[in-house]
Amino acid sequence: NSSYTEKFNVIDDQKRVKVAQTLEGGCLEIGCSIQLVRFDIIEKSPSKSIIKSDISYAVKKEFQAKDPKPNIQCLAAVAQAAKYYLERANWA
């Protein structure tokens, strides 16, 4: 997918949830009418967490035969970068 612009619709630091909506670019250029990306941080212990991400999207009727799908590679790269940083951070 190409570059894109998004806005965060939900930022809940208490629940550790963030939801972003694509405004332009990305999968909207290949036939999606909406794309939402949700991030949940699930604490497993004081020193371990899981980042759960979910992509929801709808396809415009005229593009359904082409079956466009959002690219998750960018999300995977962000998760790996966060993991790398957090594992090396000095929290003391």
Side-chain angles (χ1 to χ4, degrees):
N1 286 352
S2 65
S3 63
Y4 60 94
T5 303
E6 67 184 5
K7 75 172 181 173
F8 281 99
N9 294 340
V10 176
I11 299 175
D12 188 331
D13 291 333
Q14 297 289 50
K15 293 182 181 178
R16 298 181 179 162
V17 173
K18 297 195 183 331
V19 179
Q21 178 180 348
T22 302
L23 299 176
E24 59 184 35
C27 81
L28 301 183
E29 290 183 350
I30 59 172
C32 292
S33 59
I34 190 167
Q35 177 182 354
L36 298 173
V37 179
R38 178 184 174 107
F39 299 96
D40 292 280
I41 308 299
I42 304 162
E43 185 176 354
K44 299 307 265 180
S45 74
S47 63
K48 293 184 182 181
S49 296
I50 295 172
I51 301 171
K52 178 183 170 192
S53 56
D54 181 83
I55 299 176
S56 303
Y57 65 98
V59 177
K60 294 177 185 174
K61 193 171 192 171
E62 62 268 25
F63 289 92
Q64 287 178 351
K66 294 182 181 182
D67 195 25
K69 292 182 176 58
N71 185 339
I72 65 166
Q73 299 308 321
C74 183
L75 266 176
V78 169
Q80 286 300 318
K83 177 180 182 263
Y84 178 84
Y85 171 78
L86 293 170
E87 286 178 343
R88 285 154 184 78
N90 182 0
W91 300 103

